[in-house]
Amino acid sequence: MTYSAAMTRIARLDPTGVRLLPLNHLPWICICHVSLLGLIYGGTAAWLSRDMLLGQGLLKLTLAGIPVAFLMHAGAALFIWVFLKALGGNAAFLTAYFTLGVAAISLWPVAPFLAILQAQSPPGPAIIIVCGITGLYGLAVTAKMIQHAFELSFVRMVIALSVAVIYIGCFLYLWV
């Protein structure tokens, strides 16, 4: 019951929900959340590519989402940790890594729409709107979790997170 109560609080933008979780469970929760994020993204990408793959490689493409999710998670945690540490944040890298991993549950709704957005050209306006709304929700949950973990004021957190989002966005633009 502790996990569901904690995730309900986190989903309601209350970062104190993470306090309900045992400290030694955070790495496992992080691994599960990021893995499921990768499976959701990879599964949607595989489903959209099923005609092109002719049924072969669907499992491989679905499972390929997991390392992509962990790569993006680690990169985001590193960038955010650097920017927040520069503004006086009080957290170690692993704290940022596990906090972002726990907050990854809020990114599950955006993963299929992001895969659809990347696969369709041009994407429909409904997909763009839903992807934007779910993405903003995920960003809001993540921002609250980060602010709580780093014990920063709202202004410092917004500055650091804005710089990190711009930097990560530019990196993703160049990568894709």
Side-chain angles (χ1 to χ4, degrees), residues 1-19:
M1 188 66 176
T2 305
Y3 173 80
S4 60
M7 293 307 112
T8 301
R9 278 191 181 181
I10 290 170
R12 292 181 180 163
L13 297 172
D14 181 6
T16 60
V18 79
R19 291 184 190 155

Side-chain angles (χ1 to χ4, degrees), residues 2-175:
T2 305
Y3 173 80
S4 60
M7 293 307 112
T8 301
R9 278 191 181 181
I10 290 170
R12 292 181 180 163
L13 297 172
D14 181 6
T16 60
V18 79
R19 291 184 190 155
L20 299 175
L21 302 170
L23 194 58
N24 60 339
H25 290 177
L26 287 181
W28 298 108
I29 294 170
C30 171
I31 290 169
C32 289
H33 285 186
V34 175
S35 296
L36 280 171
L37 178 64
L39 285 174
I40 293 168
Y41 177 80
T44 306
W47 182 75
L48 292 170
S49 305
R50 69 188 182 283
D51 293 336
M52 185 174 59
L53 296 172
L54 299 174
Q56 296 183 9
L58 289 177
L59 181 63
K60 289 179 186 176
L61 187 57
T62 299
L63 294 177
I66 296 173
V68 169
F70 274 101
L71 177 67
M72 298 310 296
H73 173 246
L78 181 62
F79 290 136
I80 289 170
W81 176 72
V82 166
F83 293 127
L84 291 174
K85 201 70 170 164
L87 288 174
N90 297 327
F93 172 71
L94 286 179
T95 303
Y97 186 82
F98 294 141
T99 300
L100 284 173
V102 171
I105 194 169
S106 66
L107 298 174
W108 291 354
V110 77
F113 297 108
L114 184 60
I116 292 169
L117 186 69
Q118 291 175 335
Q120 290 182 351
S121 61
I127 296 297
I128 294 172
I129 291 169
V130 173
C131 189
I133 290 170
T134 55
L136 286 174
Y137 170 73
L139 182 63
V141 171
T142 302
K144 292 295 276 183
M145 292 285 290
I146 289 169
Q147 182 182 10
H148 178 72
F150 280 86
E151 301 171 356
L152 285 175
S153 69
F154 181 76
V155 173
R156 286 184 176 202
M157 189 273 308
V158 168
I159 291 169
L161 199 57
S162 298
V163 172
V165 165
I166 291 168
Y167 189 84
I168 291 168
C170 291
F171 180 76
L172 288 175
Y173 178 76
L174 293 174
W175 185 31

